[in-house]
Amino acid sequence: MQYPVSPKVGPSRFRRFRLFSPILAGATLRERLIACLGALLAIGLTGVISGYMFGQGPHLPLIVAPMGASAVLLFAVPASPLAQPWSIIGGNTISALMGIIAAYFIRDPIIATGVGVSLAIGAMSFTRCLHPPGGAAALTAVLGGPVVAGWGFLFPFVPVALNSCILVGLGLLFHKLSKRNYPHVVPKPAENTHQTIDLPSAVRVGFREEDVDAALEALDETFDIDRADLSRLLQQVELQAAIRSNGKINCADIMSRDVIAIGEASEPDAARHLLLKHNIRTLPVKDPEGRLVGAVGLRELSMSTETIGHAISRPAVARPSDPVLSLLPVLTDGRTHAVIIVDDDYRILGLISQTDLLSAVARLLPKEDNAIPAVA
């Protein structure tokens, strides 16, 4: 988030306070509040469940300190590769084991702490479960005192692995209820739906995967973001830049308003007749109240011999005020031939086809006096 600079405050003075600005990209107040609630419930319940399973007493800590740091990652940055289930469970458990090994063979605690954390980083890296709180788990194993020493090589499993498993389980449930993407799954890249070796049309122009690899190699730094997420982010940046530069045309400006539609109780033959008569590839389907319920094409109708209701597919929709260029990803995915424009009640207002979008993009191109006229 960028804050406006007051006219009374010079840029040099404003920069002094940049250390106190949020540094997480995409962080919003809602996301932070969800993270606070998730950590409150998960840490509390982890302690309660651990105490219920093994009892309470000085012989076993209910919950180890690194779980607090794990909760920060799990609920504040659930998309981070460092916050995934295996990273939390494997990272904490393996790191605690490295700490126990270091403490067992090295009697000097200062040297043992350095060796334990170093071994933890190496072990987590090789097992693909790098997790920053794992360093704290290794330190806890070395400096935990009589309680940890009493449990010996069982300590990485009880309570560390136990706490980690409970925390991840609660995190999975919480994120599912709050409709967050966890474990973070990166959507599959665009595929050529025509089953040829050509790249999908949406990625033939612009940067490619090898460009991302080359950029990462040139920067020579490690970033806390999945490589596939980085590609998605850059693609979205390109799209937003295009919308900002050419966002004067909205969907309402170019949409077809006399939309050919059909009722969901109609016969497939009636839908085929409309598609062929009007030479269209997408036919909106509406309910008795006139609200959009789906869309059909010849492909869907070829697989259904009953009513249209058994053949409808989920339609692509937009609002009249949406910029036309925001439809580019949808109408170039190789599957979608039209976007249906609806109001807040999902009543059909218009339709934008691939041809409509192409015409709008052509109007945005710079005009040149020496352009070669098209040959009919």
Side-chain angles (χ1 to χ4, degrees):
M1 180 183 296
Q2 295 182 346
Y3 297 93
V5 180
S6 171
K8 299 181 181 180
V9 182
S12 60
R13 183 179 176 184
F14 178 70
R15 290 194 190 101
R16 300 176 188 174
F17 299 96
R18 291 185 65 181
L19 290 176
F20 302 99
S21 300
I23 60 174
L24 284 179
T28 62
L29 177 61
R30 177 181 179 275
E31 289 295 305
R32 298 287 75 81
L33 292 177
I34 290 177
C36 293
L37 178 61
L40 169 66
L41 296 174
I43 291 296
L45 288 174
T46 298
V48 170
I49 295 173
S50 297
Y52 177 80
M53 295 177 65
F54 292 94
Q56 301 183 22
H59 63 286
L60 178 66
L62 297 179
I63 186 168
V64 291
M67 293 304 111
S70 295
V72 173
L73 290 171
L74 176 59
F75 294 101
V77 282
S80 170
L82 308 178
Q84 302 313 297
W86 170 237
S87 297
I88 296 176
I89 297 173
N92 284 329
T93 305
I94 292 173
S95 296
L97 181 60
M98 294 300 104
I100 289 292
I101 292 175
Y104 183 82
F105 289 102
I106 303 173
R107 296 304 175 186
D108 188 326
I110 301 300
I111 298 178
T113 54
V115 172
V117 173
S118 176
L119 289 175
I121 294 175
M124 287 188 292
S125 299
F126 282 112
T127 54
R128 302 179 66 85
C129 60
L130 193 64
H131 187 58
L139 284 177
T140 302
V142 175
L143 305 175
V147 174
V148 174
W151 281 86
F153 282 91
L154 188 60
F155 176 76
F157 306 100
V158 181
V160 176
L162 173 65
N163 287 168
S164 299
C165 290
I166 296 174
L167 185 66
V168 168
L170 294 171
L172 290 169
L173 177 61
F174 180 84
H175 286 310
K176 183 175 182 180
L177 294 176
S178 59
K179 298 181 179 180
R180 298 171 105 191
N181 179 17
Y182 187 84
H184 182 64
V185 179
V186 181
K188 294 182 179 180
E191 298 179 353
N192 191 324
T193 57
H194 303 296
Q195 299 182 2
T196 63
I197 62 174
D198 292 320
L199 290 173
S201 58
V203 297
R204 291 175 192 171
V205 179
F207 72 88
R208 297 185 179 181
E209 297 301 314
E210 55 264 31
D211 299 324
V212 177
D213 293 332
L216 290 172
E217 183 178 355
L219 291 174
D220 194 24
E221 293 186 52
T222 300
F223 298 93
D224 184 13
I225 182 173
D226 187 276
R227 183 191 170 286
D229 278 330
L230 180 58
S231 295
R232 291 175 57 226
L233 177 61
L234 293 175
Q235 291 171 0
Q236 191 65 27
V237 169
E238 284 190 334
L239 175 62
Q240 294 301 324
I243 293 174
R244 174 181 54 79
S245 302
N246 305 283
K248 297 180 181 179
I249 302 180
N250 293 331
C251 291
D253 298 327
I254 70 165
M255 68 182 185
S256 301
R257 299 175 184 272
D258 184 16
V259 180
I260 307 300
I262 195 169
E264 60 181 333
S266 302
E267 297 294 329
D269 287 340
R272 294 189 191 95
H273 173 73
L274 289 175
L275 287 166
L276 296 173
K277 176 183 177 181
H278 296 278
N279 193 25
I280 54 179
R281 305 185 69 176
T282 300
L283 184 64
V285 181
K286 55 186 179 179
D287 63 14
E289 286 75 33
R291 296 184 178 87
L292 179 68
V293 296
V296 294
L298 292 176
R299 177 184 295 274
E300 290 84 4
L301 292 172
S302 66
M303 297 182 288
S304 175
T305 57
E306 302 179 24
T307 63
I308 290 179
H310 295 84
I312 60 175
S313 59
R314 184 177 180 179
V317 299
R319 296 293 188 267
S321 59
D322 292 343
V324 166
L325 291 185
S326 66
L327 306 184
L328 274 171
V330 178
L331 290 177
T332 58
D333 63 4
R335 298 182 298 272
T336 306
H337 302 292
V339 174
I340 304 170
I341 311 303
V342 297
D343 60 14
D344 293 336
D345 293 326
Y346 256 64
R347 297 186 184 278
I348 302 172
L349 301 178
L351 182 144
I352 295 178
S353 66
Q354 292 171 319
T355 304
D356 297 327
L357 179 63
L358 182 60
S359 299
V361 172
R363 291 167 56 187
L364 296 174
L365 295 176
K367 303 295 188 298
E368 296 184 10
D369 295 335
N370 58 350
I372 299 175
V375 178

Short mmCIF file of all heavy atoms in Angstrom, two decimals, residues 319-374:
data_model
loop_
_atom_site.label_atom_id
_atom_site.label_comp_id
_atom_site.label_asym_id
_atom_site.label_seq_id
_atom_site.Cartn_x
_atom_site.Cartn_y
_atom_site.Cartn_z
N ARG A 319 -19.66 -7.41 -15.77
CA ARG A 319 -20.57 -6.32 -15.50
C ARG A 319 -20.43 -5.25 -16.59
O ARG A 319 -19.37 -5.14 -17.21
CB ARG A 319 -20.30 -5.69 -14.13
CG ARG A 319 -20.53 -6.64 -12.95
CD ARG A 319 -22.01 -6.98 -12.82
NE ARG A 319 -22.28 -7.72 -11.59
CZ ARG A 319 -22.32 -9.03 -11.50
NH1 ARG A 319 -22.05 -9.76 -12.57
NH2 ARG A 319 -22.60 -9.63 -10.36
N PRO A 320 -21.45 -4.44 -16.82
CA PRO A 320 -21.36 -3.42 -17.88
C PRO A 320 -20.22 -2.43 -17.68
O PRO A 320 -19.66 -1.92 -18.65
CB PRO A 320 -22.72 -2.71 -17.80
CG PRO A 320 -23.63 -3.69 -17.14
CD PRO A 320 -22.78 -4.47 -16.19
N SER A 321 -19.86 -2.16 -16.44
CA SER A 321 -18.81 -1.17 -16.16
C SER A 321 -17.40 -1.74 -16.23
O SER A 321 -16.43 -0.99 -16.11
CB SER A 321 -19.04 -0.56 -14.77
OG SER A 321 -19.02 -1.56 -13.77
N ASP A 322 -17.26 -3.05 -16.43
CA ASP A 322 -15.92 -3.65 -16.50
C ASP A 322 -15.20 -3.20 -17.76
O ASP A 322 -15.82 -3.11 -18.84
CB ASP A 322 -16.03 -5.18 -16.49
CG ASP A 322 -16.51 -5.72 -15.16
OD1 ASP A 322 -16.44 -4.97 -14.17
OD2 ASP A 322 -16.95 -6.89 -15.12
N PRO A 323 -13.89 -2.93 -17.66
CA PRO A 323 -13.14 -2.59 -18.88
C PRO A 323 -13.15 -3.74 -19.87
O PRO A 323 -13.07 -4.91 -19.47
CB PRO A 323 -11.72 -2.31 -18.35
CG PRO A 323 -11.89 -2.05 -16.89
CD PRO A 323 -13.06 -2.87 -16.45
N VAL A 324 -13.24 -3.41 -21.14
CA VAL A 324 -13.30 -4.45 -22.17
C VAL A 324 -12.05 -5.32 -22.14
O VAL A 324 -12.13 -6.55 -22.28
CB VAL A 324 -13.48 -3.80 -23.56
CG1 VAL A 324 -13.21 -4.81 -24.66
CG2 VAL A 324 -14.88 -3.26 -23.70
N LEU A 325 -10.88 -4.71 -21.93
CA LEU A 325 -9.64 -5.49 -21.96
C LEU A 325 -9.54 -6.48 -20.81
O LEU A 325 -8.72 -7.39 -20.87
CB LEU A 325 -8.44 -4.55 -21.94
CG LEU A 325 -8.23 -3.72 -23.21
CD1 LEU A 325 -6.94 -2.93 -23.12
CD2 LEU A 325 -8.21 -4.60 -24.45
N SER A 326 -10.35 -6.33 -19.78
CA SER A 326 -10.33 -7.31 -18.69
C SER A 326 -10.89 -8.66 -19.13
O SER A 326 -10.73 -9.66 -18.44
CB SER A 326 -11.12 -6.78 -17.49
OG SER A 326 -12.51 -6.68 -17.80
N LEU A 327 -11.55 -8.69 -20.30
CA LEU A 327 -12.09 -9.94 -20.83
C LEU A 327 -11.07 -10.72 -21.63
O LEU A 327 -11.35 -11.85 -22.06
CB LEU A 327 -13.32 -9.66 -21.71
CG LEU A 327 -14.45 -8.83 -21.09
CD1 LEU A 327 -15.61 -8.74 -22.09
CD2 LEU A 327 -14.91 -9.39 -19.77
N LEU A 328 -9.92 -10.14 -21.87
CA LEU A 328 -8.90 -10.81 -22.70
C LEU A 328 -8.54 -12.21 -22.20
O LEU A 328 -8.51 -13.15 -22.99
CB LEU A 328 -7.64 -9.94 -22.78
CG LEU A 328 -7.63 -8.87 -23.89
CD1 LEU A 328 -6.43 -7.95 -23.72
CD2 LEU A 328 -7.60 -9.55 -25.26
N PRO A 329 -8.23 -12.41 -20.90
CA PRO A 329 -7.86 -13.76 -20.46
C PRO A 329 -8.95 -14.79 -20.71
O PRO A 329 -8.66 -15.95 -21.02
CB PRO A 329 -7.58 -13.59 -18.96
CG PRO A 329 -7.28 -12.13 -18.79
CD PRO A 329 -8.14 -11.44 -19.79
N VAL A 330 -10.22 -14.37 -20.59
CA VAL A 330 -11.33 -15.32 -20.75
C VAL A 330 -11.54 -15.66 -22.22
O VAL A 330 -11.65 -16.84 -22.60
CB VAL A 330 -12.63 -14.73 -20.15
CG1 VAL A 330 -13.79 -15.68 -20.37
CG2 VAL A 330 -12.44 -14.45 -18.67
N LEU A 331 -11.56 -14.64 -23.06
CA LEU A 331 -11.88 -14.87 -24.47
C LEU A 331 -10.70 -15.35 -25.29
O LEU A 331 -10.83 -15.56 -26.50
CB LEU A 331 -12.44 -13.58 -25.08
CG LEU A 331 -13.83 -13.18 -24.57
CD1 LEU A 331 -14.27 -11.86 -25.16
CD2 LEU A 331 -14.85 -14.27 -24.90
N THR A 332 -9.55 -15.53 -24.66
CA THR A 332 -8.40 -16.11 -25.37
C THR A 332 -7.95 -17.42 -24.73
O THR A 332 -6.82 -17.86 -24.96
CB THR A 332 -7.22 -15.12 -25.37
OG1 THR A 332 -6.87 -14.78 -24.02
CG2 THR A 332 -7.57 -13.86 -26.14
N ASP A 333 -8.82 -18.05 -23.92
CA ASP A 333 -8.43 -19.29 -23.25
C ASP A 333 -8.63 -20.52 -24.14
O ASP A 333 -8.33 -21.64 -23.73
CB ASP A 333 -9.19 -19.47 -21.94
CG ASP A 333 -10.71 -19.59 -22.13
OD1 ASP A 333 -11.16 -19.62 -23.29
OD2 ASP A 333 -11.43 -19.65 -21.11
N GLY A 334 -9.17 -20.33 -25.36
CA GLY A 334 -9.36 -21.45 -26.27
C GLY A 334 -10.66 -22.20 -26.07
O GLY A 334 -10.95 -23.12 -26.83
N ARG A 335 -11.44 -21.82 -25.06
CA ARG A 335 -12.70 -22.52 -24.78
C ARG A 335 -13.90 -21.59 -24.82
O ARG A 335 -14.98 -21.99 -25.26
CB ARG A 335 -12.63 -23.20 -23.41
CG ARG A 335 -11.57 -24.27 -23.27
CD ARG A 335 -11.61 -24.90 -21.90
NE ARG A 335 -11.34 -23.92 -20.86
CZ ARG A 335 -10.13 -23.61 -20.42
NH1 ARG A 335 -9.07 -24.19 -20.97
NH2 ARG A 335 -9.95 -22.72 -19.46
N THR A 336 -13.73 -20.37 -24.35
CA THR A 336 -14.84 -19.44 -24.21
C THR A 336 -14.97 -18.59 -25.47
O THR A 336 -13.99 -17.98 -25.92
CB THR A 336 -14.63 -18.52 -23.00
OG1 THR A 336 -14.39 -19.33 -21.84
CG2 THR A 336 -15.84 -17.65 -22.76
N HIS A 337 -16.17 -18.55 -26.04
CA HIS A 337 -16.41 -17.80 -27.26
C HIS A 337 -17.16 -16.49 -27.01
O HIS A 337 -17.19 -15.63 -27.90
CB HIS A 337 -17.20 -18.65 -28.26
CG HIS A 337 -16.54 -19.94 -28.60
ND1 HIS A 337 -15.36 -20.00 -29.32
CD2 HIS A 337 -16.86 -21.22 -28.30
CE1 HIS A 337 -14.99 -21.26 -29.47
NE2 HIS A 337 -15.88 -22.03 -28.86
N ALA A 338 -17.75 -16.34 -25.84
CA ALA A 338 -18.50 -15.12 -25.55
C ALA A 338 -18.60 -14.94 -24.04
O ALA A 338 -18.59 -15.92 -23.27
CB ALA A 338 -19.88 -15.16 -26.18
N VAL A 339 -18.72 -13.69 -23.62
CA VAL A 339 -18.93 -13.34 -22.22
C VAL A 339 -20.30 -12.68 -22.12
O VAL A 339 -20.63 -11.77 -22.90
CB VAL A 339 -17.84 -12.38 -21.71
CG1 VAL A 339 -18.17 -11.90 -20.29
CG2 VAL A 339 -16.48 -13.06 -21.73
N ILE A 340 -21.10 -13.14 -21.17
CA ILE A 340 -22.45 -12.61 -21.00
C ILE A 340 -22.42 -11.49 -19.97
O ILE A 340 -21.88 -11.65 -18.88
CB ILE A 340 -23.42 -13.73 -20.56
CG1 ILE A 340 -23.38 -14.88 -21.58
CG2 ILE A 340 -24.83 -13.19 -20.42
CD1 ILE A 340 -24.09 -16.13 -21.14
N ILE A 341 -22.98 -10.35 -20.31
CA ILE A 341 -23.00 -9.18 -19.43
C ILE A 341 -24.30 -9.21 -18.63
O ILE A 341 -25.39 -9.28 -19.20
CB ILE A 341 -22.90 -7.87 -20.23
CG1 ILE A 341 -21.75 -7.96 -21.25
CG2 ILE A 341 -22.70 -6.69 -19.31
CD1 ILE A 341 -20.40 -8.26 -20.63
N VAL A 342 -24.17 -9.16 -17.31
CA VAL A 342 -25.34 -9.27 -16.43
C VAL A 342 -25.33 -8.14 -15.42
O VAL A 342 -24.32 -7.48 -15.19
CB VAL A 342 -25.34 -10.63 -15.70
CG1 VAL A 342 -25.46 -11.79 -16.67
CG2 VAL A 342 -24.08 -10.79 -14.85
N ASP A 343 -26.50 -7.93 -14.78
CA ASP A 343 -26.59 -6.96 -13.70
C ASP A 343 -26.41 -7.68 -12.37
O ASP A 343 -26.06 -8.87 -12.33
CB ASP A 343 -27.91 -6.19 -13.74
CG ASP A 343 -29.13 -7.10 -13.61
OD1 ASP A 343 -28.96 -8.29 -13.21
OD2 ASP A 343 -30.25 -6.65 -13.90
N ASP A 344 -26.64 -6.99 -11.27
CA ASP A 344 -26.43 -7.58 -9.95
C ASP A 344 -27.39 -8.72 -9.66
O ASP A 344 -27.11 -9.56 -8.80
CB ASP A 344 -26.56 -6.50 -8.87
CG ASP A 344 -25.45 -5.47 -8.94
OD1 ASP A 344 -24.38 -5.81 -9.49
OD2 ASP A 344 -25.65 -4.33 -8.47
N ASP A 345 -28.53 -8.77 -10.34
CA ASP A 345 -29.50 -9.85 -10.16
C ASP A 345 -29.32 -10.95 -11.19
O ASP A 345 -30.17 -11.84 -11.31
CB ASP A 345 -30.93 -9.30 -10.26
CG ASP A 345 -31.26 -8.37 -9.10
OD1 ASP A 345 -30.75 -8.62 -8.00
OD2 ASP A 345 -32.01 -7.40 -9.32
N TYR A 346 -28.23 -10.91 -11.94
CA TYR A 346 -27.91 -11.90 -12.96
C TYR A 346 -28.92 -11.90 -14.11
O TYR A 346 -29.11 -12.92 -14.78
CB TYR A 346 -27.78 -13.29 -12.36
CG TYR A 346 -26.34 -13.74 -12.24
CD1 TYR A 346 -25.45 -13.07 -11.40
CD2 TYR A 346 -25.85 -14.81 -12.99
CE1 TYR A 346 -24.13 -13.45 -11.30
CE2 TYR A 346 -24.53 -15.20 -12.90
CZ TYR A 346 -23.66 -14.51 -12.05
OH TYR A 346 -22.35 -14.89 -11.97
N ARG A 347 -29.53 -10.75 -14.36
CA ARG A 347 -30.38 -10.62 -15.54
C ARG A 347 -29.50 -10.24 -16.73
O ARG A 347 -28.60 -9.42 -16.61
CB ARG A 347 -31.47 -9.57 -15.31
CG ARG A 347 -32.42 -9.96 -14.18
CD ARG A 347 -33.58 -9.00 -14.07
NE ARG A 347 -34.42 -9.33 -12.92
CZ ARG A 347 -35.36 -10.26 -12.94
NH1 ARG A 347 -35.60 -10.95 -14.05
NH2 ARG A 347 -36.09 -10.51 -11.85
N ILE A 348 -29.79 -10.82 -17.86
CA ILE A 348 -28.95 -10.64 -19.04
C ILE A 348 -29.13 -9.25 -19.62
O ILE A 348 -30.25 -8.83 -19.93
CB ILE A 348 -29.29 -11.71 -20.10
CG1 ILE A 348 -29.10 -13.12 -19.51
CG2 ILE A 348 -28.42 -11.53 -21.34
CD1 ILE A 348 -29.59 -14.23 -20.43
N LEU A 349 -28.02 -8.53 -19.75
CA LEU A 349 -28.04 -7.19 -20.33
C LEU A 349 -27.43 -7.16 -21.73
O LEU A 349 -27.79 -6.31 -22.55
CB LEU A 349 -27.28 -6.21 -19.44
CG LEU A 349 -27.78 -6.05 -18.01
CD1 LEU A 349 -26.89 -5.08 -17.25
CD2 LEU A 349 -29.22 -5.56 -18.00
N GLY A 350 -26.48 -8.03 -21.98
CA GLY A 350 -25.81 -8.02 -23.28
C GLY A 350 -24.85 -9.19 -23.40
O GLY A 350 -24.78 -10.06 -22.53
N LEU A 351 -24.09 -9.18 -24.49
CA LEU A 351 -23.14 -10.26 -24.75
C LEU A 351 -21.99 -9.70 -25.57
O LEU A 351 -22.19 -8.88 -26.48
CB LEU A 351 -23.84 -11.40 -25.49
CG LEU A 351 -23.01 -12.65 -25.83
CD1 LEU A 351 -23.88 -13.90 -25.71
CD2 LEU A 351 -22.44 -12.56 -27.24
N ILE A 352 -20.78 -10.13 -25.23
CA ILE A 352 -19.59 -9.73 -25.97
C ILE A 352 -18.91 -10.99 -26.50
O ILE A 352 -18.51 -11.87 -25.72
CB ILE A 352 -18.62 -8.93 -25.08
CG1 ILE A 352 -19.27 -7.61 -24.67
CG2 ILE A 352 -17.30 -8.66 -25.82
CD1 ILE A 352 -18.39 -6.77 -23.76
N SER A 353 -18.77 -11.08 -27.81
CA SER A 353 -18.13 -12.22 -28.45
C SER A 353 -16.66 -11.92 -28.70
O SER A 353 -16.18 -10.80 -28.50
CB SER A 353 -18.84 -12.55 -29.76
OG SER A 353 -18.64 -11.48 -30.68
N GLN A 354 -15.94 -12.94 -29.16
CA GLN A 354 -14.54 -12.73 -29.51
C GLN A 354 -14.41 -11.69 -30.62
O GLN A 354 -13.47 -10.88 -30.63
CB GLN A 354 -13.92 -14.06 -29.95
CG GLN A 354 -13.77 -15.07 -28.82
CD GLN A 354 -13.36 -16.45 -29.32
OE1 GLN A 354 -13.85 -16.91 -30.35
NE2 GLN A 354 -12.46 -17.09 -28.59
N THR A 355 -15.36 -11.68 -31.55
CA THR A 355 -15.34 -10.69 -32.62
C THR A 355 -15.53 -9.28 -32.08
O THR A 355 -14.86 -8.33 -32.52
CB THR A 355 -16.44 -11.01 -33.65
OG1 THR A 355 -16.27 -12.33 -34.15
CG2 THR A 355 -16.41 -10.02 -34.81
N ASP A 356 -16.43 -9.12 -31.13
CA ASP A 356 -16.64 -7.81 -30.50
C ASP A 356 -15.37 -7.32 -29.83
O ASP A 356 -15.00 -6.14 -29.94
CB ASP A 356 -17.77 -7.89 -29.47
CG ASP A 356 -19.10 -8.25 -30.10
OD1 ASP A 356 -19.33 -7.85 -31.25
OD2 ASP A 356 -19.90 -8.92 -29.43
N LEU A 357 -14.69 -8.23 -29.12
CA LEU A 357 -13.46 -7.84 -28.44
C LEU A 357 -12.37 -7.46 -29.43
O LEU A 357 -11.65 -6.48 -29.24
CB LEU A 357 -12.98 -8.98 -27.54
CG LEU A 357 -11.68 -8.74 -26.78
CD1 LEU A 357 -11.84 -7.58 -25.80
CD2 LEU A 357 -11.23 -9.98 -26.04
N LEU A 358 -12.25 -8.24 -30.51
CA LEU A 358 -11.24 -7.94 -31.52
C LEU A 358 -11.49 -6.57 -32.14
O LEU A 358 -10.55 -5.80 -32.39
CB LEU A 358 -11.26 -9.02 -32.60
CG LEU A 358 -10.22 -8.89 -33.72
CD1 LEU A 358 -8.81 -8.93 -33.13
CD2 LEU A 358 -10.41 -10.02 -34.74
N SER A 359 -12.74 -6.24 -32.39
CA SER A 359 -13.07 -4.93 -32.94
C SER A 359 -12.70 -3.81 -31.98
O SER A 359 -12.19 -2.77 -32.38
CB SER A 359 -14.56 -4.86 -33.27
OG SER A 359 -14.92 -5.84 -34.22
N ALA A 360 -12.94 -4.04 -30.67
CA ALA A 360 -12.60 -3.02 -29.67
C ALA A 360 -11.09 -2.82 -29.58
O ALA A 360 -10.60 -1.68 -29.49
CB ALA A 360 -13.16 -3.42 -28.31
N VAL A 361 -10.33 -3.92 -29.62
CA VAL A 361 -8.87 -3.81 -29.57
C VAL A 361 -8.35 -3.10 -30.80
O VAL A 361 -7.42 -2.28 -30.71
CB VAL A 361 -8.24 -5.22 -29.44
CG1 VAL A 361 -6.73 -5.14 -29.59
CG2 VAL A 361 -8.60 -5.84 -28.09
N ALA A 362 -8.94 -3.35 -31.95
CA ALA A 362 -8.51 -2.69 -33.18
C ALA A 362 -8.71 -1.18 -33.09
O ALA A 362 -7.90 -0.40 -33.61
CB ALA A 362 -9.27 -3.26 -34.37
N ARG A 363 -9.76 -0.75 -32.41
CA ARG A 363 -10.01 0.68 -32.25
C ARG A 363 -8.99 1.34 -31.35
O ARG A 363 -8.77 2.55 -31.41
CB ARG A 363 -11.42 0.89 -31.69
CG ARG A 363 -12.54 0.54 -32.65
CD ARG A 363 -13.87 0.47 -31.96
NE ARG A 363 -14.20 1.71 -31.26
CZ ARG A 363 -15.27 1.85 -30.46
NH1 ARG A 363 -16.07 0.81 -30.26
NH2 ARG A 363 -15.51 2.98 -29.87
N LEU A 364 -8.35 0.55 -30.48
CA LEU A 364 -7.36 1.10 -29.56
C LEU A 364 -5.97 1.21 -30.18
O LEU A 364 -5.09 1.86 -29.61
CB LEU A 364 -7.28 0.23 -28.30
CG LEU A 364 -8.55 0.18 -27.44
CD1 LEU A 364 -8.38 -0.84 -26.32
CD2 LEU A 364 -8.88 1.55 -26.87
N LEU A 365 -5.76 0.57 -31.33
CA LEU A 365 -4.45 0.61 -31.97
C LEU A 365 -4.16 2.00 -32.49
O LEU A 365 -5.07 2.71 -32.95
CB LEU A 365 -4.39 -0.40 -33.11
CG LEU A 365 -4.50 -1.88 -32.73
CD1 LEU A 365 -4.53 -2.75 -33.99
CD2 LEU A 365 -3.34 -2.30 -31.83
N PRO A 366 -2.89 2.43 -32.44
CA PRO A 366 -2.54 3.76 -32.96
C PRO A 366 -2.77 3.84 -34.46
O PRO A 366 -2.53 2.88 -35.20
CB PRO A 366 -1.06 3.90 -32.61
CG PRO A 366 -0.56 2.50 -32.46
CD PRO A 366 -1.71 1.71 -31.92
N LYS A 367 -3.27 4.98 -34.90
CA LYS A 367 -3.54 5.19 -36.32
C LYS A 367 -2.29 5.75 -36.99
O LYS A 367 -1.67 6.68 -36.50
CB LYS A 367 -4.71 6.17 -36.50
CG LYS A 367 -5.99 5.73 -35.80
CD LYS A 367 -6.53 4.46 -36.41
CE LYS A 367 -7.90 4.13 -35.84
NZ LYS A 367 -7.90 3.88 -34.40
N GLU A 368 -1.90 5.17 -38.12
CA GLU A 368 -0.74 5.63 -38.87
C GLU A 368 -1.18 6.08 -40.25
O GLU A 368 -1.99 5.41 -40.92
CB GLU A 368 0.30 4.51 -38.98
CG GLU A 368 0.89 4.09 -37.64
CD GLU A 368 1.99 3.06 -37.79
OE1 GLU A 368 2.41 2.83 -38.94
OE2 GLU A 368 2.41 2.48 -36.78
N ASP A 369 -0.65 7.20 -40.69
CA ASP A 369 -1.04 7.74 -41.99
C ASP A 369 -0.61 6.86 -43.14
O ASP A 369 -1.25 6.80 -44.19
CB ASP A 369 -0.43 9.14 -42.17
CG ASP A 369 -1.01 10.11 -41.15
OD1 ASP A 369 -2.12 9.87 -40.68
OD2 ASP A 369 -0.33 11.12 -40.83
N ASN A 370 0.53 6.16 -42.93
CA ASN A 370 1.05 5.35 -44.02
C ASN A 370 0.65 3.89 -43.90
O ASN A 370 1.30 3.00 -44.42
CB ASN A 370 2.58 5.44 -44.05
CG ASN A 370 3.21 4.99 -42.73
OD1 ASN A 370 2.50 4.79 -41.76
ND2 ASN A 370 4.54 4.86 -42.74
N ALA A 371 -0.45 3.60 -43.17
CA ALA A 371 -0.90 2.22 -43.02
C ALA A 371 -1.34 1.66 -44.37
O ALA A 371 -1.94 2.37 -45.19
CB ALA A 371 -2.05 2.15 -42.02
N ILE A 372 -1.04 0.40 -44.59
CA ILE A 372 -1.40 -0.24 -45.86
C ILE A 372 -2.85 -0.69 -45.78
O ILE A 372 -3.26 -1.39 -44.85
CB ILE A 372 -0.50 -1.46 -46.11
CG1 ILE A 372 0.95 -1.02 -46.19
CG2 ILE A 372 -0.91 -2.18 -47.40
CD1 ILE A 372 1.92 -2.17 -46.32
N PRO A 373 -3.71 -0.27 -46.73
CA PRO A 373 -5.12 -0.65 -46.67
C PRO A 373 -5.29 -2.14 -46.87
O PRO A 373 -4.53 -2.78 -47.60
CB PRO A 373 -5.74 0.15 -47.82
CG PRO A 373 -4.61 0.40 -48.77
CD PRO A 373 -3.39 0.56 -47.90
N ALA A 374 -6.29 -2.70 -46.16
CA ALA A 374 -6.56 -4.13 -46.28
C ALA A 374 -7.12 -4.45 -47.67
O ALA A 374 -7.84 -3.64 -48.28
CB ALA A 374 -7.55 -4.56 -45.20
#
